[in-house]
Amino acid sequence: NGVTSIGDSAFSGCSSLTNVSIGNGVISIGSSAFKGCDSLTSITIPDSVTSIGSSAFDGCTLLTSITIGNGVTTIGDHAFNGCSSLTSITIPDGVTSIGSSAFYSCDSLTSITIPDSVTEIASSAFNGCSSLESVTIPDSVTSIGGGAFYNCNSLESVIIGDGVTSIGGVAFYNCDSLTSITIGNGVTSIGDSAFSDCTNITTATMPAIAIDYIPQENLLTVVITSGSIGSYAFYNCNSLESVTIGDGV
C-alpha cells in the first residue's frame, strides 16, 4: 500500500495484461495509464482514488466490468473511450464531472447510473453509446455538453432534471429510437440541432423554449410546463392527440 499514484502512460500498450489489482493507497490514476490494454477484462478502482486521468483506460476493448470507488470526484476526458465491451456503469456519488468523450463509443453499454453529485456532463461524454436504452439526468446537473448523447440510437427514454440550464448543440442528435423526452423547467439555452433526427418522439414534457427543437412529425402527447407558446408552435402537427398546458405557461 505504499504506492500513491499511477503515472501517465505507466502501462499504456501492455496488450497482454489481463489482470490489475490497485492498492488502497493509490490516490490518482494518470493520463493514459492503461490505454490500449486490450486484454484487460475487469478493473476495480478503490475508494482511495480521487481522480481518473484522461484516456486512463482508452481502448481497453475487452473491459466488461468496472467498479469505481466512492472517492472518485472526476472522470477525465476520454477516460473509458472505446471500451466497447462494457455493458453497464455505476458512477459513484462523489463524482462531480464526467469528462469530454469519457465513455465515447462504449457501444455495448446498455445502462448508466448518474448520481446527484454530478454537475456537468461534458461534450460527447456518451457519444456513440449505441446500445444505451435510457438515461435520467439528475437535478444536480447544470449543463449537458454538445454531442453528449450523439448517435445513441437505442435510446428510448430521456429525463432531464430541473437543474439543467443548457443543452449543447447536437446533444441528442440522431437518437432515432427516442420516443419519450422530459426536459426540466430550468433550461434557458438549447444548442443547434440538439434533438435533430429524433423523429420518433411521441411524448414530450417540456418548457416552451424547447418546442422549436423537438421534431414534431410523430408527436402524440405534449405537456408544456412553463414559458410562452409562440405563433404556429404546433402548426400542422397532424398526429397530435393530447396537449396539456401547465400553470407556469
Side-chain angles (χ1 to χ4, degrees), residues 5-238:
S5 66
I6 300 171
D8 296 348
S9 301
F11 298 95
S12 180
C14 294
S15 58
S16 297
L17 188 65
T18 59
N19 181 60
V20 173
S21 177
I22 299 175
N24 290 323
V26 173
I27 296 170
S28 64
I29 298 173
S31 299
S32 301
F34 297 94
K35 182 176 182 178
C37 293
D38 50 13
S39 296
L40 191 63
T41 58
S42 68
I43 190 79
T44 298
I45 297 169
D47 291 344
S48 58
V49 172
T50 59
S51 64
I52 301 172
S54 60
S55 299
F57 297 93
D58 189 334
C60 294
T61 55
L62 292 184
L63 196 61
T64 58
S65 172
I66 300 169
T67 302
I68 300 176
N70 291 324
V72 172
T73 59
T74 59
I75 298 174
D77 298 347
H78 303 271
F80 298 96
N81 178 28
C83 292
S84 55
S85 297
L86 189 64
T87 57
S88 68
I89 186 76
T90 298
I91 297 167
D93 288 339
V95 172
T96 58
S97 64
I98 301 171
S100 176
S101 301
F103 295 93
Y104 188 103
S105 286
C106 292
D107 52 15
S108 295
L109 192 65
T110 59
S111 66
I112 53 169
T113 301
I114 301 173
D116 290 338
S117 56
V118 172
T119 59
E120 178 191 12
I121 299 173
S123 60
S124 294
F126 296 95
N127 187 328
C129 293
S130 56
S131 297
L132 191 63
E133 296 172 355
S134 67
V135 64
T136 297
I137 297 169
D139 292 344
S140 59
V141 173
T142 59
S143 65
I144 300 171
F149 294 91
Y150 187 109
N151 269 347
C152 291
N153 46 25
S154 293
L155 197 60
E156 297 177 358
S157 172
V158 171
I159 298 173
I160 297 172
D162 286 334
V164 172
T165 59
S166 65
I167 300 172
V170 300
F172 294 90
Y173 186 94
N174 198 35
C175 293
D176 53 8
S177 295
L178 190 61
T179 59
S180 174
I181 180 82
T182 298
I183 300 173
N185 284 326
V187 171
T188 58
S189 171
I190 301 176
D192 291 344
S193 303
F195 297 94
S196 287
D197 285 355
C198 299
T199 54
N200 288 308
I201 295 176
T202 58
T203 303
T205 300
M206 57 187 171
I209 190 176
I211 292 172
D212 290 340
Y213 296 91
I214 301 296
Q216 298 181 356
E217 52 260 52
N218 288 308
L219 275 179
L220 301 175
T221 303
V222 170
V223 178
I224 304 299
T225 53
S226 63
S228 300
I229 301 173
S231 302
Y232 300 97
F234 293 97
Y235 184 82
N236 268 350
C237 286
N238 296 321

